[in-house]
Amino acid sequence: MRHTDDIVDAKGDAYDHLDPPIHQRRGQLHCWRTALENALAEKDAPITDHHPLSMPPVTEPDSIADSLLPALVDAAKTYHIPAEYLYAVLDGVEMDLDRRRYETFDDLQEYCRRVASAVGLACIHIWGFHGQGTAEGDAAFEPARQAGVALQLTNILRDLKADAAADRVYLPAEDFRLSHYSVEELKYGMVNDGCLRLVKF
């Protein structure tokens, strides 16, 4: 899951400070998804399969993914982690390639559930919980979802200024309007009454 996030957040190296273009990161993410699908289905397929929109195609083998997949698949099968949680994380981080603004909290919550709640839901299968597979056990799911959203919101608040400088604003536009605080003020790091109102939402 960390590897999934690293693909989307990839930065330029020490010699080339330009971040990899979006189409390249999307192609790498597609490779990782395909490799994961094949591994979970116990199919033997090359990880270098590339996305049709990837120009140029990603053709280098991903040694990190090659080393991670066996352990990830083993954990998923050992602890009966539903594959939907793993794919939800992929869907969530891909949203970072397509979207830099959220209009409402419901929109943002969808993102948080994919990138964070899905991780929590996967983890409780590893940690174990009472009544797994029963109605009693299902009661553990909602706290895991809520904890994931809360932790992701904490990450968003921690990185407010850095994300804004990269023109990525997660807090809902409707909250900015209600707080009488602007994205431009956030980018300049202005802490005023509007800013305080915003972070309290």
Side-chain angles (χ1 to χ4, degrees), residues 127-142:
W127 301 329
F129 51 94
H130 293 296
Q132 189 166 349
T134 69
E136 179 188 2
D138 291 345
F141 295 163
E142 189 55 30

Side-chain angles (χ1 to χ4, degrees), residues 10-164:
K11 302 295 182 183
D13 58 29
Y15 302 99
D16 181 2
H17 297 291
L18 294 176
D19 294 346
I22 287 178
H23 70 261
Q24 180 175 327
R25 283 177 278 173
R26 193 186 305 280
Q28 291 172 331
L29 192 61
H30 179 77
C31 288
W32 176 231
R33 182 190 294 271
T34 300
L36 176 60
E37 290 172 347
N38 288 331
L40 289 172
E42 299 183 338
K43 293 180 181 178
D44 188 13
I47 198 168
T48 53
D49 181 31
H50 57 80
H51 192 281
L53 295 180
S54 175
M55 295 293 293
V58 181
T59 56
E60 291 299 318
D62 190 332
S63 59
I64 296 177
D66 283 338
S67 62
L68 288 176
L69 272 175
L72 176 58
V73 172
D74 180 68
K77 293 186 175 182
T78 299
Y79 297 104
H80 307 288
I81 300 171
E84 65 189 85
Y85 299 152
L86 306 180
Y87 297 138
V89 176
L90 286 164
D91 293 337
V93 297
E94 189 167 14
M95 291 173 71
D96 279 332
L97 295 177
D98 300 316
R99 193 169 189 175
R100 292 182 175 270
R101 297 288 192 277
Y102 293 88
E103 178 60 29
T104 68
F105 182 74
D106 285 344
D107 295 335
L108 176 60
Q109 192 166 226
E110 178 187 4
Y111 169 78
C112 293
R113 285 175 173 165
R114 289 178 175 179
V115 298
S117 295
V119 176
L121 289 167
C123 285
I124 64 173
H125 282 77
I126 297 174
W127 301 329
F129 51 94
H130 293 296
Q132 189 166 349
T134 69
E136 179 188 2
D138 291 345
F141 295 163
E142 189 55 30
R145 291 188 185 94
Q146 293 177 2
V149 171
L151 289 170
Q152 188 61 32
L153 290 175
T154 301
N155 288 344
I156 288 170
L157 291 173
R158 180 197 63 194
D159 298 334
L160 267 180
K161 188 175 180 180
D163 284 336

Side-chain angles (χ1 to χ4, degrees), residues 170-191:
Y170 290 99
L171 294 184
E174 66 176 6
D175 288 0
F176 277 92
R177 291 192 294 270
L178 291 171
S179 303
H180 301 289
Y181 188 67
S182 68
V183 173
E184 288 68 29
E185 288 175 303
L186 175 61
K187 288 181 177 180
Y188 282 108
M190 295 178 63
V191 179

